[in-house]
Amino acid sequence: MPDHEPERPSWRCHCCAAPWPCDPARHQLAARMDRIALAVHMWERLDHAVGDLPAGPPTELFERFIRWTH
Ligand SMILES: [Zn+2]
């Protein structure tokens, strides 16, 4: 089974085409690292996504990338 990784610059999952991180990606990431490492990892991804995606509401990407790690 391929990993649920994001395509850039669309930030859709290249496996299931959902906005990344899709549910399977969240499960895979949470299984792979502890909560702190996960939060750091997702902040790094968020930083890249902010540069790739058109500007939207400031909370939108936070909700999508970070909120679920808490
Ligand atoms: Zn996916």
Side-chain angles (χ1 to χ4, degrees), residues 2-7 10-25 64:
D3 275 358
H4 289 257
E5 285 292 320
E7 295 204 332
S10 67
W11 287 89
R12 287 189 170 272
C13 178
H14 87 115
C15 182
C16 66
W20 193 91
C22 57
D23 281 344
R64 175 172 159 185

Side-chain angles (χ1 to χ4, degrees), residues 17-51:
W20 193 91
C22 57
D23 281 344
R26 294 178 191 204
H27 285 127
Q28 286 180 0
L29 289 163
R32 204 180 290 161
M33 52 187 95
D34 67 31
R35 204 169 61 83
I36 303 297
L38 178 62
V40 170
H41 180 79
M42 291 309 296
W43 276 111
E44 289 172 354
R45 293 295 182 95
L46 172 61
D47 195 47
H48 290 299
V50 165

Side-chain angles (χ1 to χ4, degrees), residues 1 3-4 9 17-18 31 39 45 49 51 53 63 66 70:
M1 186 179 85
D3 275 358
H4 289 257
R45 293 295 182 95
L53 295 171
E63 294 286 341
I66 307 298
H70 291 186

